[in-house]
Amino acid sequence: MKQFLLGAVSMLVALVLAVVALVWSVGSPGSNTDVTRPATARATPSPSAPTDLAKGETWLGDARLTSAHVVTGDGGLRDVTATGSAVTLTKDGLRAERLDIDAVLPFETAASQIGDGVTLYAAGGGLAGLRRRVSVLNREVEVRATGAVQAVDGQLVITPDTVDLDGPDWLDSAASAIVRRLVTIHHTVEGVPQGMALTSVSVEADGFRAHLRGENVAIAP
């Protein structure tokens, strides 16, 4: 994600310098949410340009970057839209007063980041499904759980509503509290710039639709 943002903004800056001024506004693939609104409907005022830019620095009031796929060392994201406000490109990297990222975090990527043999999937009704093998009461069993997904304190949280063990009923009852803890997930989304926090999340067919926001985000090359 860092390379994507920095490279994309660098390309924008080159275009800005070439044509003096450029506004790049591209909607997310398949999205119909980019509708022109009257100026009075803007949620926040446009940022003011700084007066103390150093030589060689470039400032963009707003920058909107999209990509169908972004791959980092922490895994891939899909259908990515990054929107920056008051973005400054310097020799040391990029700074944004505010940065919003909307993307799909594929189930396989989230499962790989969480680790411990977790498998994630869509369970229907807006719920996430989870499978993993655990050792309970000296028995190796597969746990299947479904639960609601929320953004809590900047993290992706899955709280199980149903928990099933691949074992007899007595094992289900005896191990219920233990297993419930093992399938309760608190996960910080990886592969995004430091300082980004999850603000909303929902379950889609192939992953988690996530929105992250950061203030005063700095990205070094």
Side-chain angles (χ1 to χ4, degrees):
M1 176 62 72
K2 291 181 180 179
Q3 292 86 345
F4 161 67
L5 291 171
L6 199 56
V9 172
S10 297
M11 181 179 66
L12 276 176
V13 171
L15 289 172
V16 169
L17 296 177
V19 300
V20 180
L22 176 66
V23 176
W24 184 22
S25 180
V26 181
S28 302
S31 169
N32 58 3
T33 58
D34 292 327
V35 179
T36 301
R37 295 182 174 86
T40 55
R42 293 176 65 94
T44 55
S46 297
S48 299
T51 58
D52 57 349
L53 280 178
K55 186 176 181 179
E57 294 185 346
T58 302
W59 182 88
L60 300 172
D62 298 285
R64 183 179 177 87
L65 315 172
T66 66
S67 178
H69 294 87
V70 172
V71 179
T72 75
D74 297 300
L77 299 171
R78 290 199 292 266
D79 191 17
V80 181
T81 298
T83 304
S85 177
V87 178
T88 303
L89 188 69
T90 74
K91 62 182 178 61
D92 297 318
L94 177 153
R95 298 193 310 270
E97 284 190 8
R98 192 178 80 185
L99 181 63
D100 290 270
I101 296 175
D102 185 81
V104 173
L105 175 65
F107 290 128
E108 59 270 22
T109 299
S112 175
Q113 292 177 2
I114 294 168
D116 297 325
V118 167
T119 299
L120 298 168
Y121 56 93
L127 300 178
L130 181 152
R131 289 194 303 269
R132 66 175 297 194
R133 296 196 65 81
V134 299
S135 179
V136 179
L137 302 178
N138 297 319
R139 293 188 58 161
E140 189 78 11
V141 296
E142 182 178 76
V143 183
R144 297 179 300 278
T146 64
V149 181
Q150 296 177 294
V152 180
D153 295 331
Q155 291 188 308
L156 187 156
V157 176
I158 303 176
T159 305
D161 294 324
T162 66
V163 178
D164 295 312
L165 295 178
D166 184 18
D169 291 342
W170 68 264
L171 183 61
D172 283 15
S173 300
S176 177
I178 298 173
V179 171
R180 189 169 292 274
R181 287 197 299 270
L182 293 174
V183 292
T184 298
I185 302 298
H186 293 263
H187 175 60
T188 299
V189 177
E190 300 172 9
V192 297
Q194 187 174 359
M196 303 295 295
L198 188 71
T199 61
S200 65
V201 62
S202 60
V203 178
E204 296 191 349
D206 57 350
F208 300 105
R209 167 63 64 179
H211 181 269
L212 302 103
R213 172 170 290 183
E215 306 285 343
N216 298 314
V217 177
I219 304 173

